[in-house]
Amino acid sequence: MSGSVALVVGEPLSRVFSEDPLFALVSRSVSRELGDVDRQVVLMLGTGPGSSARIERYVAGGHVDGVMLVSMHESDPLPRAIDRIGVPVVSYGRPAPSVPIGFADSDNPSGARLAVNHLLNRGRRKVATIAGPPDMIAGQDRLAGYLGAVADAGQRAQVVHGDFTRQSGAEAMARLLRAEPDVDAVFAANDLMAIGALQTLRRAGRRVPDDVAVAGYDDFEAARFTHPPLTTVRHPVAEQVGAMTRLLVDRMGGGPLTSIVLPAELVIREST
C-alpha cells in the first residue's frame, strides 16, 4: 500500500489555476477528506503531450492505491486505461456511458430544469441556453435538462456553446444577441459563462433582469457579487467530493462498484 491517491484533472495547467474556482474547491475538499482517512493526495494533470501515458505508467507502477478523475472529456483515454489497470477508480461527475466506473455527481439534468422552469414561470417567452462543451458529460446533461424544459413549455430551443470560461460566455452571448435579438432569458451551464453573458448584456445596453433574465449553474462565491446577483443552481462541491471519497475508500477495501447522485437546488437572486 502506498498511502497515496491520485487526483487526475483532465484540464491543462492554465485552466486548473485560472479563474475557475471549481478545481481549487475540489482539490481542497479532496485533501481534507483523504487526510481524515490518512491518505496523501497526488495531483496529476491529464492533458498535454504524453500526459496520459505518463499517468498510466505511474498508476500501473503501484505508486497510488486509487484514482479520482475530475473534468474528463469523452475522448480522453485515461478512464478506460486506468480501469483496465485494475486500480480502484472513481469519477467526480458521471463518466462516459462506456466507462464502467463508479462516480459521485449532482443531478445536472434536474438542476438545469429547475433553472429553466424558473425562467419560464417568470413569463419569459424566448429562453436560450449557453451550453457547455459537447464532449463533457456535465455539459450534455445540463443541455438535456434545458431541452426537456423548453420542449415541455412548447418553446423553440436556442442553443449556443461555450467552454465553461467567462470569455466563452461573453462571446456566446454576443452571438446569441446577433441571431436572436429578442431573446428575453438565458440559462448558462455554469456561473463563469453566466458572468460573461452579464458583461455582454451590459455592454449591449440590455437591462438584467428587465430585458433579459440570466441564470447560471454552480453557485460559486462570485455569483453573489455580480451585478445584479446571479440566480443559479447550487453545485454541492464539498458534499460531492465527500461522496466520491467514500466510494473510493470502499472500492479500495474491496467494496462493490456504486454511484451517488446528489439533488439539485435552485438559488434565486436578482438576475431573474
Side-chain angles (χ1 to χ4, degrees):
M1 299 286 284
S2 70
S4 297
V5 168
L7 176 64
V8 179
V9 181
E11 301 290 348
L13 185 68
S14 59
R15 179 79 186 276
V16 174
F17 296 102
S18 70
E19 63 182 13
D20 195 333
L22 174 65
F23 304 111
L25 289 170
V26 169
S27 299
R28 188 162 60 243
S29 296
V30 165
S31 181
R32 182 174 59 250
E33 292 283 345
L34 288 176
D36 290 343
V37 293
D38 199 27
R39 300 273 179 170
Q40 178 63 42
V41 182
V42 178
L43 176 62
M44 309 186 78
L45 303 183
T47 60
S51 63
S52 292
R54 286 194 296 273
I55 292 171
E56 285 180 48
R57 290 195 300 270
Y58 189 83
V59 172
H63 301 291
V64 294
D65 302 321
V67 177
M68 294 176 166
L69 301 174
V70 179
S71 199
M72 292 290 119
H73 297 253
E74 276 193 305
S75 61
D76 199 312
L78 268 174
R80 295 173 185 82
I82 293 173
D83 182 58
R84 287 196 300 270
I85 291 169
V87 173
V89 55
V90 295
S91 174
Y92 182 88
R94 185 170 69 87
S98 60
V99 184
I101 61 177
F103 64 88
D105 202 1
S106 59
D107 193 342
N108 289 302
S110 293
R113 273 185 172 269
L114 283 174
V116 176
N117 284 335
H118 168 70
L119 294 169
L120 293 166
N121 291 336
R122 292 291 174 100
R124 303 293 167 160
R125 301 188 177 200
K126 207 162 189 181
V127 181
T129 187
I130 301 174
D135 68 336
M136 296 189 73
I137 298 298
Q140 295 172 17
D141 284 349
R142 293 173 192 179
L143 177 57
Y146 162 82
L147 292 173
V150 295
D152 289 347
Q155 286 200 10
R156 179 172 63 88
Q158 302 164 81
V159 181
V160 290
H161 284 274
D163 64 2
F164 285 148
T165 64
R166 181 167 49 191
Q167 182 63 32
S168 76
E171 293 169 354
M173 189 71 241
R175 294 197 304 273
L176 190 57
L177 287 176
R178 288 193 296 270
E180 305 285 349
D182 57 344
V183 66
D184 64 0
V186 175
F187 164 62
N190 79 339
D191 286 350
L192 284 177
M193 293 196 299
I195 291 169
L198 289 173
Q199 293 172 331
T200 294
L201 289 167
R202 187 162 51 249
R203 287 196 297 267
R206 303 294 181 93
R207 298 168 300 166
V208 178
D210 304 64
D211 301 324
V212 183
V214 178
Y217 201 116
D218 282 330
D219 193 31
F220 292 149
E221 184 178 20
R224 293 186 280 122
F225 299 102
T226 57
H227 181 70
L230 184 66
T231 290
T232 185
V233 179
R234 181 173 176 265
H235 180 176
V237 175
E239 294 94 324
Q240 193 171 326
V241 167
M244 178 175 66
T245 304
R246 291 190 295 274
L247 290 175
L248 183 61
V249 170
D250 189 50
R251 285 291 281 165
M252 291 190 298
L257 189 154
T258 55
S259 298
I260 296 173
V261 178
L262 301 172
E265 174 191 354
L266 183 66
V267 181
I268 299 173
R269 299 192 179 98
E270 288 90 293
S271 68
T272 56

